[in-house]
Amino acid sequence: MWKPGTDFTTMRSLTHPLLKRLLGVSPQCVPRELSQSKGPVLSPKWSSPRQSCSARPGLVTATDVVNYWQKVFETNGIPEARESSEYIVSFVLGAKTFQSLNSKSLHTPLTALQQEQIQQLSNKRLERMPVQYVLGEWDFQDLTLKMRPPVFIPRPETEDLISLVVEEKSRQCEKNSGLCFPVSVPHPVILEIGCGSGAIALSLLRKLPQSRVIAVDKEKAAVDLTRENAHRLQLQDRIHVLHHNVSYGSAKQLLLWGPIDFIVSNPPYVFREDMASLDAEILRYEDLDALDGGDDGMRVIKTILALAPSLLKDSGSVFLEVDPRHPNMVENWLQAHPNLLLVLRAIHKDFCGKPRFLHIQNQSR
């Protein structure tokens, strides 16, 4: 979403479906209902894994510790108990996933320092801190991004939004190459509204090597994190990150490189009546302004669409991630504002088959 994004299996009976999507530890298709659980976090009765798990006295392996913390998480009602434990142990051992650890890593006794690091990170998870914040980083597509609260955590389903932009650019290039006298295609200029951690902007820079991106967010924490991630990935020369609250009069500030080819955004689109039902991980740690889309979930969506004609090139496009209830609402809103000359070109479904992504095109000339 704006500052919003879900695709981050085992403990199904303990895991709420939406949280599974929002925390991103399961790629499977799940419903979108919201959890009602807001129970307090319980403190585990600590007993050393060395005493409770190890087959050999005094030795504790990665598998022992994963099993131990899984049980502690389950006891305290922590969602994704197994996955949370595996991610934490893998991170301390320098691996992305538990499944990627080799046999030697799985069976070599952990040092006291490693056990202490695992305990410290696991205690954060017991406070319902999302795994992404616990680890301080998360993979999105082929990028490893720094993560810290309250900057919105990118959700895996947002990867589809990026793919749509890349596909549209590819389609334009193919169309141009078929002309008798091909026209030179300038480097695409992309505007991301609500950059959060920079996941969308930096992914597009990586996938479209000739592109330039203007990334804006109204939260300084998000702007700072996007800049940090851009520098870590050595993409800072092609991105302009602005601390800016987009409004109807924002056009002048955003036309840094001239008219925009693509506006892309994962804006706040949760209906306000649903906000109170979000899970503890979200309510405690993430910026709720990145989720709250107002009464109809379209507060920021309407602003983006009203601003788009003054920013886009002729036939430029807006790509939005929205709630499944929004496509019809957006289409009706565009029909009620014909002066904008925006047309809903396509509605794309997410991996669950729900209408989630909108392609809107400028027809101003």
Side-chain angles (χ1 to χ4, degrees):
M1 290 188 173
W2 170 16
K3 241 194 78 177
T6 307
D7 287 29
F8 266 12
T9 289
T10 44
M11 305 300 302
R12 294 180 183 174
S13 63
L14 297 174
T15 306
H16 189 271
L18 180 61
L19 182 59
K20 183 178 292 184
R21 296 177 64 238
L22 290 184
L23 290 182
V25 292
S26 173
Q28 70 182 34
C29 193
V30 291
R32 190 177 168 83
E33 291 83 0
L34 299 171
S35 171
Q36 301 294 329
S37 173
K38 300 188 186 71
V41 176
L42 304 176
S43 298
K45 294 183 179 179
W46 169 259
S47 61
S48 170
R50 180 177 290 110
Q51 298 170 351
S52 60
C53 299
S54 180
R56 292 180 289 170
L59 301 179
V60 181
T61 68
T63 301
D64 293 332
V65 177
V66 164
N67 291 336
Y68 173 80
W69 280 106
Q70 177 186 347
K71 292 176 182 176
V72 173
F73 291 152
E74 289 174 5
T75 299
N76 287 273
I78 301 301
E80 302 293 353
R82 180 73 184 183
E83 289 83 355
S84 296
S85 182
E86 287 183 349
Y87 273 123
I88 289 169
V89 173
S90 303
F91 178 77
V92 170
L93 294 182
K96 293 290 186 183
T97 65
F98 194 68
Q99 290 69 30
S100 67
L101 291 170
N102 58 34
S103 179
K104 181 179 179 181
S105 298
L106 291 173
H107 296 97
T108 298
L110 301 181
T111 66
L113 177 59
Q114 287 172 327
Q115 292 184 57
E116 177 63 23
Q117 290 173 331
I118 291 168
Q119 182 177 347
Q120 290 176 355
L121 296 176
S122 297
N123 285 342
K124 291 182 179 181
R125 186 71 186 105
L126 283 170
E127 294 294 326
R128 299 297 290 268
M129 179 179 280
V131 172
Q132 293 87 340
Y133 293 152
V134 170
L135 303 183
E137 66 178 39
W138 198 250
D139 284 359
F140 183 84
Q141 294 209 324
D142 58 347
L143 308 179
T144 298
L145 302 170
K146 285 292 183 181
M147 293 286 147
R148 54 177 174 261
V151 179
F152 189 80
I153 297 168
R155 273 64 171 177
E157 69 187 15
T158 302
E159 295 184 10
D160 290 343
L161 183 64
I162 294 163
S163 297
L164 292 173
V165 178
V166 174
E167 289 168 7
E168 176 63 14
K169 181 57 184 173
S170 177
R171 186 193 66 77
Q172 291 178 359
C173 290
E174 289 176 3
K175 179 180 179 181
N176 179 64
S177 65
L179 297 176
C180 296
F181 300 98
V183 178
S184 175
V185 178
H187 299 168
V189 177
I190 301 168
L191 169 65
E192 184 194 0
I193 297 178
C195 56
S197 64
I200 293 174
L202 299 174
S203 294
L204 288 170
L205 286 175
R206 183 65 62 84
K207 290 182 176 296
L208 298 172
Q210 303 302 315
S211 65
R212 292 177 293 178
V213 172
I214 301 162
V216 303
D217 204 293
K218 67 185 184 68
E219 300 296 336
K220 187 176 185 300
V223 169
D224 291 343
L225 187 56
T226 292
R227 287 175 177 160
E228 180 180 337
N229 280 323
H231 278 271
R232 291 179 66 251
L233 297 167
Q234 298 183 339
L235 294 169
Q236 70 273 13
D237 293 339
R238 293 164 50 212
I239 186 170
H240 222 15
V241 188
L242 301 178
H243 183 200
H244 180 71
N245 189 7
V246 172
S247 64
Y248 297 112
S250 294
K252 185 176 180 180
Q253 298 97 313
L254 300 178
L255 290 171
L256 299 174
W257 289 314
I260 306 296
D261 293 272
F262 305 114
I263 297 173
V264 58
S265 183
N266 184 7
Y269 59 67
V270 176
F271 287 64
R272 182 157 292 160
E273 65 183 6
D274 294 332
M275 290 295 297
S277 300
L278 295 174
D279 292 277
E281 278 81 350
I282 301 164
L283 294 173
R284 292 184 188 182
Y285 292 98
E286 293 197 72
D287 180 3
L288 297 184
D289 279 347
L291 291 150
D292 186 355
D295 291 341
D296 60 0
M298 287 181 50
R299 174 175 55 89
V300 178
I301 293 172
K302 292 174 183 176
T303 300
I304 293 171
L305 295 177
L307 183 61
S310 60
L311 294 173
L312 288 172
K313 293 179 180 178
D314 183 27
S315 298
S317 295
V318 180
F319 289 91
L320 299 174
E321 180 173 332
V322 298
D323 183 275
R325 292 168 284 183
H326 279 142
N328 288 337
M329 295 171 63
V330 168
E331 186 168 26
N332 291 336
W333 190 85
L334 290 176
Q335 290 174 354
H337 295 80
N339 58 304
L340 296 178
L341 299 177
L342 295 175
V343 178
L344 179 58
R345 284 295 182 203
I347 301 169
H348 299 272
K349 296 180 179 179
D350 63 16
F351 55 84
C352 292
K354 294 181 179 291
R356 178 76 61 186
F357 308 105
L358 304 182
H359 177 191
I360 298 161
Q361 194 166 42
N362 182 28
Q363 299 293 311
S364 61
R365 298 178 192 145

